[in-house]
């Protein structure tokens, strides 16, 4: 209940309401883009400052390794399941969407942990960056395989372009670059940047979630008329993926905060990085399908109910 009454979450709900009643309320795209970049920079700085204090330990290595493993295994499982009901292209697109991650969901989860006084490692920002690309690459490989075996004349999409777009994405570079700045500047940098990266963070997140609520309401219609498995997957997959992460984190005895964040990352679905790549790499798929699932259903579920639920489950097993 405390999470639902958080101002940032309430602004998301308000934005979704405004979108559903078809209000003309909107956040100009340049401002929304700035807010997104601000949140990534602030998160990267926080992570860099924390890493400068803790250093690179075996525990951090385990967490990062597990993040990469989850980013590989989740889209493989998703594709194998979805292709029993959907065509190969739709299955690959959805697998990429749910195998990748949502930075805003992650950022919201870090704020939730801060509100609950649950510590987490600064390296988790790096874990998020590492989880963004593997699913996209796997999806393109699967789609190219389908094209080769198809009788159509569609050409396979070269992996080199996909790899370049995945690893030079501006948002991802900003996150990693900010982490590097935080690590290099240390405590002095943290003190100087505190008014920017800490004091403004909550308000900026609330403003951005207002825009995300508006977008979620607009994208919900993207799943109308789709097979029932699409709706079920958008609701059930986050719980299953978070459960897989919880089991693995428990076996590896990772700290509570890191466990919750890995559960959130596993449960989230991309609605920025993946659509940007798939529009060119998988033209056979209507973006309304995976955008409607990730932004219309999974994102609101995770923001409102998922994050506190994953936290409760992780604490229950402690």
């Amino acid at each position: 209940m405390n999470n639902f009454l958080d101002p940032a979450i309430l602004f998301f709900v308000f934005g979704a309401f405004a979108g559903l009643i078809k209000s003309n309320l909107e956040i100009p795209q340049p401002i929304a883009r700035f807010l997104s970049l601000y949140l990534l920079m602030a998160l990267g700085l926080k992570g860099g400052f924390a890493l400068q204090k803790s250093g690179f330990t075996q525990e951090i290595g385990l967490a990062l390794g597990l993040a990469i493993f989850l980013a590989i295994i989740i889209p493989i499982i998703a594709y194998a399941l979805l292709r029993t009901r959907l065509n190969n292209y739709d299955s690959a697109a959805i697998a990429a969407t749910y195998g990748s991650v949502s930075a805003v969901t992650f950022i919201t989860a870090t704020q939730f942990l801060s509100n609950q006084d649950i510590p987490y490692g600064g390296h988790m920002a790096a874990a998020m960056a590492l989880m963004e690309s593997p699913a996209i690459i796997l999806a393109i490989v699967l789609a190219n395989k389908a094209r080769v075996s198809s009788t159509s004349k569609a050409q396979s999409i070269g992996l080199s372009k996909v790899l370049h777009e995945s690893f030079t994405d501006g948002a991802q570079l900003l996150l990693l670059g900010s982490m590097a700045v935080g690590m290099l500047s240390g405590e002095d940098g943290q003190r100087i940047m505190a008014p920017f990266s800490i004091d403004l963070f909550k308000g900026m997140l609330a403003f951005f979630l207002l825009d995300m609520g508006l977008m979620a309401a607009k994208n919900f219609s993207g799943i109308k008329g789709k097979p029932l498995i699409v709706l079920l997957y958008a609701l059930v997959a986050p719980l299953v993926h978070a459960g897989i992460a919880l089991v693995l984190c428990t076996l590896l005895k990772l700290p509570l905060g890191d466990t919750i964040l890995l559960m959130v990352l596993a449960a989230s679905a991309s609605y920025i990085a993946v659509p940007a790549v798939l529009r060119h790499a998988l033209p056979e798929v209507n973006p309304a399908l995976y955008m409607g699932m990730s932004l219309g259903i999974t994102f609101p579920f995770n923001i409102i109910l998922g994050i506190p639920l994953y936290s409760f489950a992780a604490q229950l097993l402690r």
Side-chain angles (χ1 to χ4, degrees), residues 131-154:
M131 291 181 73
E132 193 163 84
S133 299
I136 300 174
I137 296 168
L138 279 171
I140 304 308
V141 170
L142 293 170
N144 281 346
K145 183 179 178 181
R147 289 189 184 98
V148 170
S149 61
S150 172
T151 56
S152 70
K153 296 182 180 180

Side-chain angles (χ1 to χ4, degrees), residues 43 70 105-111 113 118-125 127 131 245 249 255-268 307 310 314:
L43 178 66
L70 288 169
T105 307
F106 177 82
I107 291 169
T108 307
T110 63
Q111 187 62 48
L113 293 182
I118 299 175
Y120 60 91
H123 60 279
M124 294 308 298
M131 291 181 73
C249 288
L256 176 62
D258 293 3
T259 296
I260 295 171
L261 288 180
L262 277 173
M263 292 174 70
V264 169
L265 285 170
S268 68
I307 293 172
Y310 307 145

Side-chain angles (χ1 to χ4, degrees), residues 43-53 122 125 178-184 186:
L43 178 66
L45 284 171
K46 289 181 181 179
F49 296 142
L51 273 175
Q52 197 274 336
K53 293 179 181 177
S178 299
M179 286 187 67
V181 170
M183 291 180 65
L184 291 172

Side-chain angles (χ1 to χ4, degrees), residues 56-121:
F56 191 88
T57 64
Q58 182 180 4
E59 186 177 272
I60 291 175
L62 280 175
L64 296 180
L66 179 55
I68 296 173
F69 177 76
L70 288 169
I72 295 173
I73 195 67
I74 286 175
I76 291 175
I77 294 173
Y79 182 76
L81 172 66
L82 291 166
R83 68 181 303 206
T84 62
R85 298 296 180 88
L86 303 174
N87 64 58
N88 289 336
Y89 300 122
D90 287 350
S91 299
I94 297 172
T97 301
Y98 282 81
S100 191
V101 295
S102 162
V104 180
T105 307
F106 177 82
I107 291 169
T108 307
T110 63
Q111 187 62 48
F112 172 84
L113 293 182
S114 296
N115 293 342
Q116 300 293 317
D117 293 322
I118 299 175
Y120 60 91

Side-chain angles (χ1 to χ4, degrees), residues 192-213:
I192 294 169
M193 296 299 292
F196 173 82
S197 61
I198 298 176
D199 297 345
L200 292 177
F201 188 85
K202 185 71 174 181
M204 292 289 200
L205 177 60
F207 201 7
F208 188 66
L209 285 179
L210 169 64
D211 183 53
M212 296 311 303

